[in-house]
Amino acid sequence: MPAAAPGWDRHDGTAEELTIARKPQPEGGQAPVVQRVRIRYAKRGPLRFTSHRDFARAFERALRRAGVPIAFSQGFTPHPKISYASAAPTGVASEAEYLEIGLREPVDPAQLRAALDAALSPGLDVLDAVEATGGSLADRIEASRWRIELPEVDPAVLERAVSAFTAAEEIQVERMTKQGRRTFDARAAVMAIDALPPSETPSGATAVPCAILELVVRQVTPSVRPDDVLSGLRVVADLEPPVSPRVIRLAQGTLTAQGEIVDPLDADRDGAAIGER
């Protein structure tokens, strides 16, 4: 079966041209995991409204369509070996979503990336794939960088709200969770918060003013989401966006002492943290 050509661009071929499995599951049991691959993907445009459950279904279909030799769990109802890390909320676009899959036979990560990208709908885009060298993917995700576009909000008003947010030691907000309504501090998890200059051009720019907020938020329990930060801005500065904001996750990964976020796949690319699979 031919391998995907280097530099192959998405959706230029059929799914059949990009299948990569070479042998079926063994009879009488599940094949062991011989390789783990970590994947970065994006949710863009209307596909940002895809729920995590819907994405999981679409991804499993893409694995079958691309012929990926996915390994399965043992037991009466085997499940594909897929682990998700810190999925973005429904309605939020993202350039940095991560998952890990276990395979029953080794594959070339670049070929796997191309095959999965072709099998998924445009807007669910597979950006990178690397072989896992050890350690936990979840342990490498300490913080996220977010961009929030606020149409019809004056940038000067946002700057004043950000100043009030930064000056506060604690900002209590409420959110409905599966455990009921909870109150928690939205300030402590925010490592950086900035109102970008008005010269910045938002995605899907229009003629109306658009304030732009960027923030770095640490992973904590309970998690602090972008909408919680907006609730905090309402608490400290009465900031009420007149229309729904557009939220984009730009990055997530390890947080450095300088406040930068390192892609969690970099350690695998560099051969760091090598251990048993």
Side-chain angles (χ1 to χ4, degrees):
M1 197 216 83
W8 183 89
D9 198 7
R10 69 172 290 123
H11 311 304
D12 286 346
T14 66
E16 288 76 17
E17 291 172 329
L18 292 168
T19 55
I20 59 179
R22 291 183 286 278
K23 56 187 178 182
Q25 287 275 19
E27 295 182 5
Q30 301 299 331
V33 172
V34 301
Q35 182 188 40
R36 296 188 183 275
V37 176
R38 291 169 177 167
I39 292 169
R40 176 183 178 183
Y41 66 95
K43 291 171 62 179
R44 297 166 171 160
L47 271 297
R48 70 185 185 275
F49 295 106
T50 304
S51 69
H52 176 65
R53 180 175 295 181
D54 287 340
F55 173 79
R57 292 195 190 102
F59 187 72
E60 290 181 23
R61 288 196 298 269
L63 289 170
R64 293 193 296 270
R65 192 174 300 124
V68 176
I70 189 75
F72 284 80
S73 62
Q74 303 289 338
F76 186 70
T77 55
H79 297 286
K81 293 276 192 175
I82 308 172
S83 300
Y84 296 91
S86 188
T90 303
V92 171
S94 179
E95 293 296 313
E97 300 298 287
Y98 294 90
L99 59 83
E100 179 178 299
I101 58 176
L103 304 176
R104 66 179 189 267
E105 61 180 274
V107 303
D108 172 35
Q111 183 183 358
L112 174 68
R113 187 213 67 79
L116 285 173
D117 194 47
L120 284 165
S121 299
L124 296 176
D125 304 317
V126 181
L127 306 179
D128 199 1
V130 300
E131 182 174 5
T133 57
S136 166
L137 178 60
D139 288 346
R140 296 182 191 170
I141 298 180
E142 300 174 343
S144 293
R145 181 180 299 278
W146 303 90
R147 178 186 177 104
I148 305 175
E149 298 170 0
L150 301 166
E152 300 184 28
V153 172
D154 188 321
V157 172
L158 178 61
E159 285 184 16
R160 290 193 293 270
V162 166
S163 296
F165 188 99
T166 303
E169 294 185 3
E170 181 180 273
I171 302 173
Q172 293 292 319
V173 300
E174 287 189 350
R175 189 210 311 154
M176 183 61 71
T177 69
K178 293 179 181 178
Q179 292 74 38
R181 186 167 295 278
R182 296 195 60 178
T183 301
F184 54 93
D185 180 16
R187 176 66 186 90
V190 178
M191 307 301 295
I193 180 167
D194 296 291
L196 299 189
S199 59
E200 291 281 346
T201 301
S203 60
T206 63
V208 300
C210 182
I212 302 173
L213 183 69
E214 277 202 7
L215 40 128
V216 175
V217 182
R218 286 190 302 109
Q219 301 281 76
V220 295
T221 303
S223 62
V224 174
R225 308 184 312 198
D227 55 319
D228 298 322
V229 176
L230 292 176
S231 295
L233 291 172
R234 183 171 60 251
V235 169
V236 298
D238 293 325
L239 180 65
E240 289 277 6
V243 299
S244 298
R246 177 181 172 86
V247 182
I248 308 167
R249 173 143 60 189
L250 301 176
Q252 60 174 326
T254 305
L255 187 65
T256 69
Q258 293 75 34
E260 297 298 320
I261 293 179
V262 178
D263 186 338
L265 304 189
D266 283 354
D268 297 303
R269 265 188 290 269
D270 297 340
I274 296 177
E276 295 183 359
R277 296 192 188 103

